[in-house]
Amino acid sequence: MIGIDGLPIAKSSNSQLWPILVYIENTTKIVFPVGIYHGYSKPKNSNMFLDDFISEAINLIANGIVLNNCTKKVSISGFICDSPAKAFLLQLKGHSGFSSCTRCIQVGEYYKNRVCYPYCNFSHKRTHETYIKRKYEDHHIGDTLSRLI
């Protein structure tokens, strides 16, 4: 499992860390960093932020990792992120945007100073295919897809 989120270092500055953490399932409960970004704002581009991680992950998934002269298979089960980090990584609208729902295409409405999603039991679901084809352009930010695909 991969966990990614940003965290401020101090209230007195904009200094922040964006760690990429790994938890190996079905073993000890140890979480360890595989990458850490430091800056005075969120990384500008999620693809650049993830570039080294993705290259290494592709290599580890293809070739495994050697531990104690034994090659272990590597796979990624999932990513653990809060809504703002998920939107950043996937290059999607933030969680308070009008077309930000990652599960359906329902468009939000502005109500009492916030974006709300009225109940609708017939809204179409978003899929991996519609994401790749950028079928719902209002859901995306930028001109590229996330390298996580």
Side-chain angles (χ1 to χ4, degrees), residues 78-91:
F79 286 79
I80 303 166
C81 305
D82 62 9
S83 291
K86 179 180 179 180
F88 168 67
L89 294 175
L90 296 177
Q91 299 185 9

Side-chain angles (χ1 to χ4, degrees), residues 86 92-93 97-108 116-128 130 136 138-140:
K86 179 180 179 180
L92 301 174
K93 292 273 174 82
F98 286 106
S99 295
S100 63
C101 183
T102 58
R103 297 185 181 270
C104 73
I105 64 168
Q106 180 73 26
V107 177
C116 299
Y117 289 87
Y119 176 74
C120 175
N121 63 359
F122 58 86
S123 184
H124 297 287
K125 293 183 178 183
R126 294 193 192 277
T127 65
H128 182 67
T130 61
Y136 305 104
D138 288 347
H139 186 57
H140 297 266

